[in-house]
């Protein structure tokens, strides 16, 4: 049987795959696995529940709360709040678990359920498997005074915004910032935190109606953000996604500053302050070679993992690093957060502008991005991609031709029957030629 949990919780079409019944049963199972009942200490288990702005979040929230309370867990409703805000309050309020209802950057009809363990930490595979195994099992239901209580936590946005502002040491007075809230979970908290930190804030796509989340806005659609940055003469713009755990930036000239560049800026900021743990940053194998070269030039090591923030987090946890991220803008500052946080990232980037007196464009110039081409090869046996001798020989030949001028990454998709061929080279034309040649080999060798 296939796993119910994906790379980031349980996600699918709301009221299609992801039903109220499934949400309720998952919450009961999660309560049995994660909630500390403290029979000998009198502890009542506690959960916090937040959601993004999707209309389906309302009925899913009701189902999750019903499941938790029926299992004897007290519930604090946080309302609309970013995923990192739910993680922060899970920790701050001493909750046994947190629940976030969001499908992140997916289109509005989808939704998802993310569970967080005590301390606001993401679940590892063993806990997710345990939750799945206990779905629909017989259990003794509490009655009377033993059922859970449900209350609203009215200061969730203020508490989270206050936490964000406290993570920086220099006010952002004098900076003008545009923030695209993606009609999502950060429509209140992001503008508030940036403004409370001293910046002049222009918030766009901050009027959610339950159906417009991620609709031609946010981190996956930066054109409107660029337009407003130029229109207002802003120092920078930040595009968040639906649950605001990531952001991409626009500099004052309208150029995109991606996750690799953001990670490079923050790595050097922490190194200058003597705060970069082990002088090392964690990135994925998809990070641009220009990022790796720039970090090497500045004496910063790069630990690379598989694609996915969970792998970045795991490497950071095991080796006690405090900065990691992905090209997508999912940046983890673990001194202040247990997961990626788009608003936190924006605040620390802006603080770097203040402390250096440089523009975002000048800061991003620390690395030169090599042209990167990605070709997806569909309808192939991806399981054989790592073992086929002809494919391996073709990759080795192209790598030898590129030398230190570029690189090749060939990897099977985690969700589809295709192989991804990524090539970086000094020019886009050369990268495209190499990628196309390798794609032809993959197609010829691995076709289904």
């Amino acid at each position: 049987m296939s796993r119910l949990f994906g790379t980031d919780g349980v996600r699918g079409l709301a009221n299609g795959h992801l039903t109220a019944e499934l949400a309720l049963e998952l919450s009961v199972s999660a309560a049995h696995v994660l909630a500390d009942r403290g029979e000998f200490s009198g502890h009542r288990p506690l959960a916090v529940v937040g959601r993004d702005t999707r209309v389906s979040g309302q009925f899913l929230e009701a189902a999750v709360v019903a499941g938790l309370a029926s299992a004897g867990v007290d519930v604090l409703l946080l309302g609309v709040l970013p995923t990192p805000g739910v993680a922060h309050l899970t920790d701050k309020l001493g909750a046994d678990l947190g629940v976030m209802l969001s499908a992140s950057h997916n289109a509005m009809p989808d939704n998802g359920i993310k569970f967080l363990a005590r301390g606001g930490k993401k679940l590892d595979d063993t806990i997710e498997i345990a939750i799945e195994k206990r779905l629909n099992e017989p259990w003794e239901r509490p009655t009377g005074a033993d059922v859970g209580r449900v209350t609203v936590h009215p200061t969730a946005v203020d508490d989270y915004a206050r936490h964000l502002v406290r993570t920086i040491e220099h006010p952002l007075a004098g900076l003008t910032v545009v923030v695209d809230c993606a009609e999502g979970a950060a429509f209140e908290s992001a503008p508030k935190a940036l403004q409370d930190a001293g910046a002049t804030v222009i918030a766009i796509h901050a009027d959610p109606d339950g159906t417009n989340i991620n609709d031609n806005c946010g981190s996956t659609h930066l054109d409107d953000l660029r337009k407003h940055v130029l229109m207002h003469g802003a120092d920078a713009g930040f595009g968040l996604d639906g649950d605001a755990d990531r952001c991409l930036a626009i500099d004052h000239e309208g150029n995109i500053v991606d996750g690799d560049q953001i990670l490079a800026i923050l790595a050097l900021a922490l190194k200058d302050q003597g705060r970069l743990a082990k002088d090392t940053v964690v990135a994925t194998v998809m990070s641009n070679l220009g990022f790796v070269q720039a970090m090497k030039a500045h004496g910063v090591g790069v630990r690379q993992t598989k694609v996915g923030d969970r792998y970045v987090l795991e490497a950071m946890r095991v080796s006690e690093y405090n900065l990691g991220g992905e090209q997508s803008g999912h940046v983890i500052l673990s001194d202040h957060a247990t997961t990626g946080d788009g608003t936190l990232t924006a605040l620390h980037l802006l603080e770097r502008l203040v402390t250096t007196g440089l523009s975002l464009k000048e800061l991003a110039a620390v690395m030169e991005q090599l042209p990167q081409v990605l070709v997806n090869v569909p309808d192939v046996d991806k399981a054989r991609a790592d073992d086929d001798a002809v494919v391996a020989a073709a990759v080795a030949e192209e790598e030898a031709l590129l030398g230190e001028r570029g690189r090749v990454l060939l990897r099977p998709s985690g969700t589809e029957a295709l192989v991804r061929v990524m090539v970086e080279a000094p020019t886009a034309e050369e990268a495209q030629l190499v990628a196309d040649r390798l794609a032809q080999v993959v197609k010829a060798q691995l076709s289904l």
Side-chain angles (χ1 to χ4, degrees):
M1 187 179 73
S2 61
R3 286 279 309 276
L4 185 60
F5 283 85
T7 56
D8 199 12
V10 178
R11 193 177 295 187
L13 179 64
N15 223 25
H17 167 68
L18 186 56
T19 63
E21 293 84 354
L22 177 58
L24 189 149
E25 291 297 337
L26 274 169
S27 300
V28 169
S29 184
H32 291 159
V33 172
L34 296 170
D36 177 10
R37 279 170 163 51
E39 285 86 352
F40 303 105
S41 65
H43 170 76
R44 288 182 61 88
L46 174 68
V48 297
V49 179
R51 62 182 176 87
D52 69 20
T53 55
R54 294 165 213 265
V55 65
S56 60
Q58 297 176 354
F59 81 77
L60 289 172
E61 178 188 69
V64 165
V65 170
L68 292 170
S70 73
V73 178
D74 291 342
V75 180
L76 281 178
L77 290 174
L78 305 181
V80 173
L81 198 68
T83 293
V86 175
H88 168 67
L89 289 176
T90 300
D91 183 28
K92 179 184 176 184
L93 298 173
D96 296 89
L97 69 152
V99 187
M100 177 66 187
L101 299 166
S102 176
S104 188
H105 58 277
N106 284 30
M108 181 276 295
D110 286 349
N111 215 321
I113 303 177
K114 305 177 187 181
F115 293 104
L116 299 164
R118 192 175 293 106
K121 296 177 172 62
K122 288 194 173 187
L123 307 186
D124 60 33
D125 288 343
T126 57
I127 297 178
E128 290 180 344
I129 290 169
I131 291 173
E132 287 191 28
K133 284 184 176 179
R134 297 190 67 168
L135 277 174
N136 301 308
E137 71 174 3
W139 57 290
E140 185 176 345
R141 298 170 182 269
T143 58
D146 291 332
V147 301
R149 281 82 157 166
V150 182
T151 55
V152 173
H153 187 65
T155 61
V157 170
D158 290 340
D159 293 348
Y160 171 53
R162 190 180 305 113
H163 156 69
L164 291 173
V165 175
R166 286 174 176 169
T167 68
I168 62 172
E169 299 174 359
H170 301 84
L172 306 181
L175 294 180
T176 299
V177 182
V178 181
V179 57
D180 182 343
C181 301
E183 309 291 4
F187 81 99
E188 287 185 293
S189 61
K192 177 174 178 54
L194 290 165
Q195 185 170 324
D196 289 353
T200 298
V201 180
I202 298 103
I204 63 173
H205 299 293
D207 189 23
D209 62 11
T211 65
N212 57 2
I213 187 171
N214 298 322
D215 187 9
N216 290 313
C217 57
S219 62
T220 54
H221 301 87
L222 295 172
D223 288 346
D224 209 27
L225 177 61
R226 177 187 291 109
K227 181 180 73 175
H228 280 80
V229 168
L230 297 175
M231 179 193 311
H232 294 282
D235 295 284
F238 297 96
L240 306 175
D241 65 338
D243 69 337
D245 65 352
R246 69 180 69 182
C247 80
L248 294 178
I250 298 289
D251 69 24
H252 72 287
E253 292 185 357
N255 304 300
I256 293 175
V257 179
D258 72 7
D260 285 338
Q261 294 165 298
I262 290 170
L263 203 56
I265 295 168
L266 295 179
L268 296 188
L270 286 173
K271 188 173 189 295
D272 287 350
Q273 299 162 17
R275 297 179 180 177
L276 183 62
K278 303 180 181 180
D279 283 340
T280 298
V281 61
V282 181
T284 76
V285 293
M286 288 298 290
S287 288
N288 195 276
L289 181 58
F291 167 78
V292 178
Q293 293 171 339
M295 293 297 94
K296 182 179 180 181
H298 286 83
V300 175
V302 179
R303 165 77 182 276
Q304 290 185 286
T305 72
K306 293 192 291 185
V307 175
D309 69 282
R310 66 188 303 160
Y311 301 113
V312 174
L313 275 165
E314 178 65 11
M316 293 175 66
R317 183 188 66 79
V318 169
S319 300
E320 298 182 334
Y321 301 127
N322 62 347
L323 178 65
E326 296 185 277
Q327 204 174 53
S328 62
H330 195 283
V331 174
I332 303 154
L333 289 151
S334 64
D335 290 337
H336 309 294
T338 59
T339 185
D341 189 325
T343 309
L344 180 71
T345 299
L347 284 165
H348 283 257
L349 280 173
L350 292 170
E351 185 178 37
R352 186 65 168 168
L353 268 67
V354 170
T355 58
T356 62
L358 299 175
S359 69
L360 183 56
K361 180 182 179 181
E362 291 170 319
L363 290 171
V366 67
M367 62 166 283
E368 181 180 352
Q369 289 181 308
L370 271 67
Q372 189 178 81
V373 171
L374 179 66
V375 176
N376 291 326
V377 187
D379 303 319
V380 292
D381 182 2
K382 64 181 182 180
R384 293 193 290 123
D386 294 331
D387 301 320
D388 187 271
V390 174
V391 172
V395 170
E397 182 180 351
E398 297 292 357
E399 287 178 330
L401 290 172
L402 285 170
E404 294 185 357
R405 301 179 307 115
R407 69 180 180 122
V408 173
L409 177 65
L410 189 148
R411 66 183 184 92
S413 167
T415 57
E416 302 172 79
L418 56 83
V419 170
R420 306 190 194 279
V421 179
M422 190 277 286
V423 177
E424 290 170 348
T427 68
E429 292 77 13
E430 184 176 4
Q432 189 69 59
L433 286 171
V434 174
D436 288 342
R437 286 198 296 265
L438 287 174
Q440 289 175 6
V441 176
V442 170
K443 187 69 175 178
Q445 289 296 116
L446 307 181
S447 289
L448 293 172

